[in-house]
């Protein structure tokens, strides 16, 4: 529990009822979820049959997408209400996903080097120690596995779009959802992955088009960005 911010958990507990409303406050996540899933599939060589851990799963949007792609998914979050929503929706969707209310650091104690793929999307900017989460994610991976991370870059552009626009103008998210000082520059994130000897293979960014009201993925990483890192076969937690 040392790497849990209870105020941050409370924010997402309050959003739990809207996770699966594509027109609600989780709308941006619904819009980028296919892009995230395609990015993961492309980098890891497909998800079918792979053991996957989704860290900070929220209501299960990505977890369900990966399960539908054939992955065996374990998904964790510390917001109890979000986990309950995720479990109920998976039941309705007839998907077998192992949802747990536990931290990444705690999961490592029981399932180190158990997963082919670990995903952690839009979560590390909400914990006191992002390095601890990233290190735990790396330790969950089997040698030869893949870590997929996404977060917000700490730039003027991200402040304007992710906070001023998304929270104050478009009202996509409640005010105070994001703390600009907790955003991570790619160089900072890659320092944490390098500490676990992971190799970055691809980095892309998400861009919103207000005219089309849609997101696309490309090379602009000034706001939201996503990174695929590989754990070499000769790298072990031991």
């Amino acid at each position: 529990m040392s790497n849990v911010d209870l105020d941050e958990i409370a924010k997402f507990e309050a959003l739990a009822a809207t996770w699966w409303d594509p027109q609600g406050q989780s709308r941006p996540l619904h819009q980028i979820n296919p892009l995230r899933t395609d990015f993961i599939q492309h980098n890891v060589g497909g998800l079918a049959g792979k053991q996957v851990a989704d860290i900070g799963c929220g209501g299960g949007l990505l977890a369900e997408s990966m399960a539908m792609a054939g992955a065996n998914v374990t998904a964790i979050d510390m917001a109890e209400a979000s986990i309950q929503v995720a479990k109920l929706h998976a039941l309705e969707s007839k998907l077998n996903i192992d949802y747990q209310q536990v931290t990444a650091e705690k999961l490592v104690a029981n399932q180190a080097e158990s997963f082919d793929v670990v995903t952690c999307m839009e979560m590390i900017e909400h914990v006191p120690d992002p390095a601890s989460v990233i290190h735990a994610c790396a330790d969950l991976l089997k040698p030869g596995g893949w870590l997929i991370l996404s977060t917000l870059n700490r730039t003027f552009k991200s402040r304007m779009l992710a906070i001023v626009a998304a929270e104050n103008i478009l009202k996509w998210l409640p005010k105070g959802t994001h703390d600009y000082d907790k955003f991570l520059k790619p160089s900072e994130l890659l320092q944490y992955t390098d500490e676990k000897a992971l190799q970055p293979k691809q980095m892309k960014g998400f861009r919103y088009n207000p005219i089309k009201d849609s997101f696309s993925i490309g090379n602009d990483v000034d706001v939201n960005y996503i990174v695929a890192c590989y754990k070499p076969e000769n790298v072990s937690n031991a």
Side-chain angles (χ1 to χ4, degrees), residues 21 28 44 62 66 74 90 163 176-177 221 225:
D21 180 0
V44 309
L62 180 63
M66 294 191 293
T74 297
I163 297 179
T177 297
V221 299
Y225 63 97

Side-chain angles (χ1 to χ4, degrees), residues 12 31-32 50 61 70 85 110 121 123 126 133-134 136 138 150 159 171 184 188 236:
F12 291 99
Q31 290 179 301
I32 68 171
K50 288 186 167 67
L61 272 67
V85 166
N110 298 315
M121 304 293 183
M123 180 268 204
H126 297 287
V133 173
I134 293 172
S150 73
R159 183 198 289 269
K171 309 294 185 184
L184 271 77
E188 296 166 340
S236 173

Side-chain angles (χ1 to χ4, degrees), residues 125-140:
E125 69 270 23
H126 297 287
V127 298
D129 185 356
S132 176
V133 173
I134 293 172
H135 292 173
C137 288
D139 289 344
L140 287 166

Side-chain angles (χ1 to χ4, degrees), residues 43-44 116-118 141 144-148 201 228-231:
N43 278 279
V44 309
D116 303 296
V117 179
V118 174
L141 280 176
W146 288 87
L147 173 59
I148 314 294
K201 296 297 184 179
C229 296
Y230 176 73
K231 185 173 184 176

Side-chain angles (χ1 to χ4, degrees), residues 155-223:
T155 63
F156 176 78
K157 186 176 178 180
S158 69
R159 183 198 289 269
M160 290 299 102
L161 294 179
I163 297 179
V164 176
E167 295 183 18
N168 298 294
I169 299 174
L170 298 173
K171 309 294 185 184
W172 281 345
L173 295 167
K175 289 184 180 180
T177 297
H178 291 112
D179 180 347
Y180 174 76
D181 292 333
K182 292 183 178 179
F183 293 179
L184 271 77
K185 291 183 176 293
S187 59
E188 296 166 340
L189 183 147
L190 293 178
Q191 176 184 334
Y192 300 146
T193 58
D194 185 61
E195 288 167 356
K196 301 300 289 187
L198 301 185
Q199 298 177 356
K201 296 297 184 179
Q202 188 175 44
M203 180 182 295
K204 294 289 184 179
F206 299 106
R207 182 174 62 181
Y208 178 67
N209 184 324
I211 297 174
K212 296 182 178 180
D213 185 27
S214 64
F215 285 86
S216 60
I217 193 166
N219 294 323
D220 182 353
V221 299
D222 285 348
V223 188

Side-chain angles (χ1 to χ4, degrees), residues 18-172:
T18 71
W19 275 116
W20 285 97
D21 180 0
Q23 300 304 319
Q25 291 183 313
S26 297
R27 183 183 179 192
L29 293 179
H30 283 269
Q31 290 179 301
I32 68 171
N33 199 50
L35 300 174
R36 300 190 303 188
T37 306
D38 288 347
F39 178 89
I40 295 165
Q41 292 246 58
H42 172 75
N43 278 279
V44 309
L47 287 165
K50 288 186 167 67
Q51 300 296 322
V52 178
D54 186 24
I55 310 303
C57 63
L61 272 67
L62 180 63
E64 287 206 8
S65 293
M66 294 191 293
M68 286 188 287
N72 301 306
V73 181
T74 297
I76 68 171
D77 202 285
M78 284 303 291
E80 182 179 6
S82 295
I83 288 290
Q84 294 306 316
V85 166
K87 286 181 177 180
L88 179 59
H89 199 274
L91 186 64
E92 294 171 347
S93 302
K94 296 181 172 57
L95 293 170
N96 184 20
I97 298 172
D98 180 14
Y99 283 110
Q100 300 180 36
Q101 186 184 5
V102 67
T103 65
E105 292 88 344
K106 183 72 172 179
L107 190 64
V108 169
N110 298 315
Q111 292 187 258
E113 296 191 345
S114 296
F115 298 96
D116 303 296
V117 179
V118 174
T119 61
C120 184
M121 304 293 183
E122 312 300 328
M123 180 268 204
I124 54 176
E125 69 270 23
H126 297 287
V127 298
D129 185 356
S132 176
V133 173
I134 293 172
H135 292 173
C137 288
D139 289 344
L140 287 166
L141 280 176
K142 300 174 184 177
W146 288 87
L147 173 59
I148 314 294
L149 298 162
S150 73
T151 190
L152 284 153
N153 199 346
R154 196 171 63 255
T155 63
F156 176 78
K157 186 176 178 180
S158 69
R159 183 198 289 269
M160 290 299 102
L161 294 179
I163 297 179
V164 176
E167 295 183 18
N168 298 294
I169 299 174
L170 298 173
K171 309 294 185 184
W172 281 345

